[in-house]
Amino acid sequence: MRPTATSVAPDPLLPRLAAVGPARAAALIIGVSARACVGLLVLVFAVGDRDGGALGFLPWVNAAANATSATLLVLGVRAVRRGDLVRHRNAMLGAFAASTVFLIGYVTYHALHGESRFDGPAAIRIPYLVILAVHVVLSIVALPMVLGTLWAALSGRFGGHRRLARVTYPIWLTVGVTGVVVVVLLRTVGS
């Protein structure tokens, strides 16, 4: 028998999160997101090039994590539209875990490698840079939105979760898909 909406208790999944008010949660999420973005910018642009050759496989692992996240997002939205809240929750937690794996891999790679440059044909350089810009800008926007949407769900604020999720989902999905495209273009055409 497939789990249904009644399979998930309306209580918060993590009661301690429910005790954190929305203003405090927003301040924490914005603080964590801002620190993460600044840290990533420093790693990518201020570290400089190093010999990251031993980790040349990591961009492909990161692309796989992005693809997994995007796939789980789609499956999670399909599940909630069918009323299968257990499957929805599991898919979204899986998408968050895959995005976390991506972030760890990204930080590791850029901490040891620095900035990656696109050395491919000029005709592909402009589309690559546009896709990269969309990916980076939406990644910065997505981080606090994903954390806020996750907090709302885990703290039992399902009305707020639904409102945030409607905006978060397309942005997060775009980040996952463009992340894969960036790696494929950079590693197959741009190197």
Side-chain angles (χ1 to χ4, degrees):
M1 183 170 142
R2 188 172 64 144
T4 64
T6 57
S7 304
V8 177
D11 295 329
L13 296 173
L14 299 175
R16 293 185 77 186
L17 280 182
V20 177
R24 176 82 172 130
L28 288 169
I29 288 166
I30 290 169
V32 165
S33 299
R35 285 186 180 104
C37 289
V38 168
L40 288 172
L41 289 171
V42 167
L43 277 176
V44 172
F45 296 110
V47 170
D49 286 337
R50 293 188 171 93
D51 181 21
L55 297 176
F57 68 94
L58 211 42
W60 291 110
V61 171
N62 295 341
N66 268 327
T68 300
S69 176
T71 302
L72 288 170
L73 286 170
V74 171
L75 293 174
V77 167
R78 287 180 66 198
V80 79
R81 286 181 179 155
R82 287 191 316 265
D84 191 344
L85 298 184
V86 171
R87 191 164 289 175
H88 168 73
R89 180 194 63 212
N90 293 341
M92 292 309 186
L93 289 173
F96 183 76
S99 291
T100 301
V101 167
F102 161 78
L103 187 58
I104 291 167
Y106 185 86
V107 167
T108 301
Y109 182 75
H110 285 286
L112 298 172
H113 183 269
E115 181 182 5
S116 295
R117 298 193 188 278
F118 184 86
D119 294 326
I124 297 175
R125 183 176 173 77
I126 298 297
Y128 166 79
L129 290 174
V130 168
I131 294 166
L132 178 62
V134 167
H135 177 71
V136 169
V137 169
L138 289 183
S139 295
I140 292 167
V141 171
L143 180 58
M145 293 181 75
V146 168
L147 293 175
T149 305
L150 182 64
W151 170 81
L154 294 178
S155 66
R157 291 171 169 85
F158 297 112
H161 169 74
R162 278 188 292 278
R163 283 189 301 277
L164 276 170
R166 285 187 184 107
V167 178
T168 303
Y169 169 70
I171 293 171
W172 192 3
L173 182 60
T174 302
V175 168
V177 171
T178 57
V180 174
V181 173
V182 164
V183 170
V184 169
L185 287 175
L186 185 62
R187 297 291 164 190
T188 60
V189 180
S191 52

